[in-house]
Amino acid sequence: MIEVKEEILADNIKVASDVRERLRNSKTMLLNLMSSPGSGKTSLILQTIAKLKNSVRLGVIEADIESKVDAEKVAAHGIPAIQLRTGGFCHLDATMVTQGIDALPVKDLDLVIIENVGNLVCPAEFDTGAHKNVMILSVPEGDDKPLKYPLMFSICDVLLVNKMDYLPLSDFDMPAMRKRVLGLNPNIVIIEVSCKTGAGIENWTSWLAKEVDSFKQFK
Amino acid sequence: MHELPVTESILKIVLKHAQMNNVQHVVAIHLQVGKLSDLEDEWIQRYFDYLSKGTLAEGAKLKIERMPIMMQCNACSKAFETDAAKLNDLVCPNCGGKESTFLSGREYFIKNMEVQ
């Protein structure tokens, strides 16, 4: 019998902490955005760019399998965007993120947003090196998702509940969903938004602007 | 869904320890995986069988110990075990408190290995 006592994902954890350290030095906050496919990651990024592009220098790393178009949409706003070729992979790891960081002018950026692969399972297991993890749950997906994907909800700093404009038409139980999420992760910030109507986006972007600001102050 | 990269990491770590200890053959590997992880035992073994062909660890059995989901009651600070199905209505078995904080249950750890 040989004692091994090693983290299985030790390599990834090491690369992720290198990414965090490197971006800490260039004062660039890295945000990992995760959700199921179709819950509004790209729309949220576009709304965020529209609100913050004059005050925050932004960059985007696109990894969503179906989102070749996304990097172009983002780049159309004059925001540096890198499309990673994940080859159908189910998640991003820190090595892939490093490739994205290498290709972006991070010294001149305050914030880089990673659009992770649309998936609530795998991305939760792999540290990308992000300083903040944010997820979107859209109303049509249902209020039971925290029970089905508890790991994802337990690792995020912010939960954005998107497509709030659908709420009156659905049986989504907001208090039950909140209770489930807070039971797993009492420190998570929950913000209700609609990328379609723009409702609540201001709450999200002001949270984000404040975080970017305190990240820059941090010595 | 991500069993393949996880299995690659397991094999890499196992072979490193096998070489360091001049092992002839790895017979079994003990893993500790948290119950919050979605890893499928069967697939890890299948990928491992495939990846380990021709290595010192060929044919090794993966023994996976599932680590419990542990919560700590915010009211009385006692730790208690739960499972994913109960996360909806967490109640502290000690004091009946309804608010608790996640402690552990997402481990991904290689504990030890049996060798010849």
Side-chain angles (χ1 to χ4, degrees):
Chain A
M1 187 77 85
I2 293 174
E3 293 298 312
V4 178
K5 292 196 173 142
E6 278 202 44
E7 289 284 344
I8 294 176
L9 296 176
D11 282 358
N12 190 59
I13 294 167
K14 168 79 175 70
V15 177
S17 61
D18 290 348
V19 168
R20 251 189 300 277
E21 178 69 22
R22 175 176 162 193
L23 293 178
R24 178 64 75 191
N25 291 332
S26 70
K27 296 200 178 290
T28 313
M29 187 171 111
L30 182 63
L31 186 148
N32 177 22
L33 181 62
M34 297 172 282
S35 80
S36 330
S39 57
K41 290 186 294 302
T42 307
S43 302
L44 184 88
I45 289 173
L46 293 174
Q47 288 272 11
T48 307
I49 290 170
K51 281 271 191 310
L52 294 182
K53 68 177 171 186
N54 296 325
S55 52
V56 176
R57 295 170 302 167
L58 262 154
V60 174
I61 298 175
E62 287 288 347
D64 208 5
I65 302 170
E66 292 300 331
S67 67
K68 267 241 164 61
V69 199
D70 297 349
E72 289 161 22
K73 278 188 200 159
V74 169
H77 288 259
I79 300 295
I82 296 301
Q83 178 82 48
L84 292 180
R85 265 175 283 169
T86 50
F89 234 48
C90 57
H91 65 276
L92 273 188
D93 64 18
T95 303
M96 290 187 255
V97 170
T98 306
Q99 291 167 10
I101 299 292
D102 287 343
L104 283 173
V106 285
K107 263 194 234 152
D108 303 319
L109 297 176
D110 305 313
L111 171 67
V112 172
I113 300 178
I114 303 168
E115 180 172 351
N116 212 317
V117 180
N119 179 341
L120 289 179
V121 182
C122 315
E125 306 262 24
F126 291 84
D127 190 348
T128 56
H131 304 96
K132 294 285 174 193
N133 289 308
V134 174
M135 68 172 293
I136 303 175
L137 172 68
S138 63
V139 168
E141 291 170 71
D143 52 52
D144 60 341
K145 291 301 163 289
L147 302 176
K148 292 193 174 171
Y149 307 100
L151 184 64
M152 177 60 79
F153 287 84
S154 76
I155 62 148
C156 284
D157 301 290
V158 177
L159 165 64
L160 294 164
V161 185
N162 189 25
K163 307 190 189 178
M164 282 298 289
D165 46 305
Y166 276 119
L167 193 66
L169 304 170
S170 76
D171 51 10
F172 189 98
D173 186 339
M174 188 66 76
M177 192 283 303
R178 281 180 173 270
K179 193 178 148 224
R180 288 165 185 162
V181 174
L182 292 169
L184 276 170
N185 184 352
N187 299 319
I188 198 167
V189 175
I190 302 176
I191 303 172
E192 299 173 5
V193 298
S194 166
C195 286
K196 191 173 175 192
T197 67
I201 294 292
E202 195 90 38
N203 295 335
W204 153 243
T205 51
S206 61
W207 177 89
L208 183 56
K210 213 184 274 172
E211 287 296 320
V212 170
D213 206 43
S214 58
F215 189 83
K216 289 195 94 67
Q217 307 301 324
F218 188 86
K219 295 242 163 64
Chain B
M1 276 191 269
H2 45 268
E3 280 80 358
L4 186 56
V6 169
T7 313
E8 282 171 341
S9 295
I10 295 172
L11 181 63
K12 195 174 150 197
I13 295 167
V14 163
L15 291 179
K16 181 183 81 182
H17 283 264
Q19 272 151 15
M20 283 182 339
N21 292 285
N22 293 319
V23 164
Q24 305 278 317
H25 183 217
V26 180
V27 181
I29 301 152
H30 293 254
L31 306 177
Q32 289 178 326
V33 176
K35 280 188 176 165
L36 271 184
S37 154
D38 282 288
L39 284 188
E40 285 292 335
D41 300 9
E42 189 192 334
W43 278 98
I44 305 183
Q45 185 70 57
R46 281 202 216 179
Y47 283 131
F48 190 86
D49 292 346
Y50 175 76
L51 292 170
S52 64
K53 280 207 179 95
T55 72
L56 294 173
E58 182 170 348
K61 283 292 292 168
L62 296 176
K63 297 181 179 175
I64 302 172
E65 183 186 351
R66 288 284 171 169
M67 306 304 283
I69 302 172
M70 298 298 295
M71 307 292 296
Q72 183 174 34
C73 175
N74 292 355
C76 74
S77 299
K78 275 256 163 67
F80 63 94
E81 185 179 334
T82 185
D83 61 54
K86 289 193 201 134
L87 291 171
N88 197 11
D89 269 306
L90 283 176
V91 177
C92 169
N94 184 50
C95 74
K98 289 195 172 161
E99 287 186 17
S100 48
T101 306
F102 176 77
L103 278 182
S104 64
R106 43 183 190 232
E107 296 82 352
Y108 251 24
F109 200 69
I110 306 182
K111 194 175 162 194
N112 56 36
M113 56 199 208
E114 292 166 35
V115 298
Q116 281 174 350

